[in-house]
Amino acid sequence: LLVSSLGGHIPLPYQALYSGTKGFISNFGIALAAELRGLPQSVTVFAPGGIATEMIDKSGLDRLPGGKYFNRDAKSCAAIAVNALLRRRLLASSSWADYILLNLGRAIPYQLGTGLLKFLYAKGIETTGCKGDSRNVQHARFRSVTGETEVRSK
């Protein structure tokens, strides 16, 4: 069972490192599953959408319209992942809406998808108190991941 993310299938502005590493996990798992086809072993890639965790709270994404609705609790996500593993599914997500987004991310042009996500993530980050140029938004993102509470200024 490899835990990726919906962000591993759709590039996420302000979360490039996160979506890049999750993309590696997804691609690695899908390729490995192809190599193992016909053998007793299997690979399941679990690519959930938002999970209600401290990372979501600190990034401000839970304060966007619908933010609470799209974030599932960790226990239900774990149960979905284990069920998918036991059923030997190649790719699973945390809800039907996330599964649609998982596949829609492959169908829409990257510029359209990343443009919309950049707008949404910037709005979420602004609710954390950082506004202005992209460096402030990037610093707010860094603070949301590291748990840093003090805003530095130069």
Side-chain angles (χ1 to χ4, degrees), residues 4-154:
S4 180
S5 169
L6 187 58
H9 297 263
I10 303 169
L12 298 176
Y14 306 119
Q15 291 195 0
L17 183 60
Y18 177 83
S19 66
T21 55
K22 293 298 186 175
F24 166 79
I25 292 169
S26 293
N27 287 316
F28 174 77
I30 292 167
L32 184 59
E35 292 177 20
L36 296 174
R37 192 169 291 127
L39 297 174
Q41 298 82 12
S42 68
V43 175
T44 297
V45 176
F46 183 58
I51 300 176
T53 62
E54 190 176 339
M55 183 179 105
I56 294 291
D57 293 340
K58 288 184 177 185
S59 70
L61 295 175
D62 63 327
R63 294 184 283 281
L64 291 173
K68 295 278 187 196
Y69 173 75
F70 291 108
N71 296 316
R72 298 182 57 97
D73 67 285
K75 283 185 181 182
S76 67
C77 285
I80 292 167
V82 169
N83 184 41
L85 175 67
L86 294 174
R87 292 175 47 209
R88 300 173 64 94
R89 290 186 52 204
L90 171 60
L91 187 61
S93 197
S94 52
S95 71
W96 62 268
D98 290 338
Y99 194 75
I100 290 171
L101 288 172
L102 189 69
N103 290 293
L104 188 61
R106 298 178 188 151
I108 62 173
Y110 282 120
Q111 288 179 326
L112 177 63
T114 55
L116 175 62
L117 289 167
K118 182 178 179 181
F119 172 78
L120 291 174
Y121 272 77
K123 287 292 181 192
I125 290 169
E126 283 178 6
T127 67
T128 66
C130 261
K131 297 181 180 181
D133 69 28
S134 63
R135 287 172 300 183
N136 287 341
V137 174
Q138 289 167 358
H139 184 68
R141 177 71 196 120
F142 173 78
R143 288 187 305 122
S144 73
V145 170
T146 62
E148 181 184 326
T149 57
E150 181 180 319
V151 177
R152 295 182 205 156
S153 59
K154 290 186 177 185

